[in-house]
Amino acid sequence: MLDRTISVAPMMGCTDRHFRYLLRMISPHALLYTEMVVTGALIHGNAGQFLAHEKDGPCALQLGGSNPSDLATCARMAEDAGYQEVNLNVGCPSDRVQYGSIGACLMAEPALVGDCLATMRDAVRIPVTVKSRIGIDDHDDYEYFHRFIETVQAAGTDVFIVHARKAILRGLSPRENRQIPPLKYDFVYRAQADFPAATFVLNGGIDNVETALTELSRVDGVMLGRAPYANPWLLADLEQALHGTAYPTNTDRLRILAEYRNYVDAEIAKGENFKHMGRHLLGYFTGYPGARAFRRYLSEHMFKNTAPASLIDDALLASGLVRSDSQLPTGT
């Protein structure tokens, strides 16, 4: 059974395989999620590219789609690729998903969501879960959310990851949809009481250890989003609070960075561009003297097509985070 106590949300442009590789070295226990992958990209595109991952388990692949057969096909692909869970996106409010009638649009069609999840569940042995909002547009009272959970649970799904805001499909950007609709944690508390056989993971507005621990006293799990992307060491704080893991020292931070540098070097040798991996380091030293200079140096140099992995070392030296070549960490 997967540990859902702490998870990191699927975030477009953020939780790619490179960032997950980095996070896994920081947090052994967090359940990680991929960016949303639409079914058409897997079925008709370069599936290997979208399914690639390395040393990031436990990890769930999130799918965007509304055709039960296509979703079942992609769920099997996720299982075959070694993912530990497959998740259906019923919460993304972007124009892209509205055009395809997927994501948050599906909040208006709970019976279809149930059909999709049931077909996926019948196709694989790994868990099939759903990530939703609490409502959509004017369908935003608790009774509507209750009926949604009731319908989907009746179709056989028992894990609900809930961003505790409604989605507003017209008039708000995806970023505004993450901030403007008010958080209603009480909807999730009530649902957990009303559906005791189900598991509820709370998402939205959880950006520090204190909030995470408080909410864990009320719900089965919490999912963090932008906060660990801006400062991945928040996960180390949670590891210490929940599992008694020793907090990483400066030496540990540099050692992990050295291993990531080795990973970057190997990926560049395969044809990957540094910028796709270097951008995940911009928050690596958040709160440390020299962090801004480290971030600035990377930002100024990582977009060159020929940028090497040693750019990480150059950024450390330029920022004063290490003071000489002899202090640069050596990867394993």
Side-chain angles (χ1 to χ4, degrees):
M1 181 177 295
L2 291 176
D3 182 354
R4 303 182 185 282
T5 308
I6 298 292
S7 55
V8 177
M11 294 177 282
M12 298 299 294
C14 298
T15 52
D16 62 15
R17 62 189 177 91
H18 309 308
F19 186 54
R20 300 196 309 270
Y21 185 95
L22 178 64
L23 283 189
R24 184 52 70 212
M25 291 187 284
I26 295 172
S27 175
H29 295 94
L31 176 58
L32 306 181
Y33 283 75
T34 70
E35 303 171 276
M36 180 184 70
V37 182
V38 296
T39 54
L42 284 180
I43 295 172
H44 305 296
N46 184 347
Q49 174 186 344
F50 290 110
L51 293 170
H53 62 116
E54 181 180 356
K55 297 181 180 179
D56 61 357
C59 184
L61 179 76
Q62 186 183 68
L63 292 173
S66 58
N67 180 289
S69 177
D70 288 350
L71 284 164
T73 296
C74 292
R76 284 190 292 269
M77 294 168 75
E79 183 175 51
D80 291 343
Y83 287 95
Q84 286 76 44
E85 175 190 312
V86 61
N87 175 266
L88 179 63
N89 185 315
V90 187
C92 180
S94 73
D95 292 342
R96 177 188 177 195
V97 301
Q98 292 182 51
Y99 177 78
S101 297
I102 62 176
C105 298
L106 291 173
M107 285 297 301
E109 300 188 68
L112 175 58
V113 174
D115 288 344
C116 290
L117 291 164
T119 306
M120 294 164 68
R121 192 189 65 251
D122 289 344
V124 297
R125 295 180 298 276
I126 59 176
V128 175
T129 65
V130 60
K131 186 173 189 293
S132 74
R133 295 288 184 123
I134 58 172
I136 180 174
D137 295 332
D138 294 332
H139 302 297
D140 59 356
D141 56 27
Y142 177 72
E143 288 69 27
Y144 187 84
F145 181 57
H146 184 282
R147 287 194 298 272
F148 177 87
I149 299 296
E150 186 175 46
T151 301
V152 174
Q153 187 188 46
T157 296
D158 58 4
V159 176
F160 297 87
I161 302 156
V162 185
H163 187 161
R165 309 178 199 266
K166 72 174 181 178
I168 300 176
L169 297 187
R170 294 182 183 275
L172 293 185
S173 69
R175 180 176 183 178
E176 290 169 332
N177 260 296
R178 293 195 300 269
Q179 300 170 337
I180 293 177
L183 286 163
K184 296 185 177 180
Y185 288 177
D186 61 299
F187 278 33
V188 182
Y189 306 156
R190 291 174 66 182
Q192 184 161 271
D194 289 345
F195 301 94
T199 296
F200 286 88
V201 176
L202 179 66
N203 174 227
I206 302 169
D207 58 7
N208 59 73
V209 172
E210 292 74 20
T211 300
L213 295 179
T214 297
E215 295 309 320
L216 283 172
S217 69
R218 299 167 174 162
V219 295
D220 298 312
V222 296
M223 175 178 276
L224 290 76
R226 303 285 158 177
Y229 192 77
N231 176 18
W233 297 98
L234 173 57
L235 292 180
D237 292 329
L238 286 166
E239 288 280 345
Q240 184 182 49
L242 293 169
H243 302 286
T245 308
Y247 193 80
T249 64
N250 291 348
T251 299
D252 294 326
R253 288 187 185 227
L254 291 175
R255 175 186 53 77
I256 289 172
L257 185 60
E259 185 170 338
Y260 188 67
R261 181 188 59 206
N262 290 348
Y263 169 82
V264 170
D265 196 39
E267 289 294 310
I268 289 175
K270 298 174 186 175
E272 183 64 283
N273 193 299
F274 180 92
K275 65 184 178 183
H276 299 307
M277 299 166 284
R279 62 194 175 96
H280 300 313
L281 294 173
L282 297 180
Y284 192 81
F285 288 106
T286 293
Y288 268 60
R292 181 176 298 179
F294 178 81
R295 183 168 60 248
R296 182 173 61 247
Y297 191 94
L298 282 181
S299 297
E300 290 174 351
H301 296 87
M302 70 181 179
F303 294 101
K304 298 175 182 177
N305 290 333
T306 57
S310 59
L311 184 61
I312 296 172
D313 297 339
D314 298 338
L316 285 170
L317 291 168
S319 64
L321 285 160
V322 298
R323 300 189 179 280
S324 70
D325 289 343
S326 63
Q327 291 181 299
L328 290 171
T330 301
T332 55

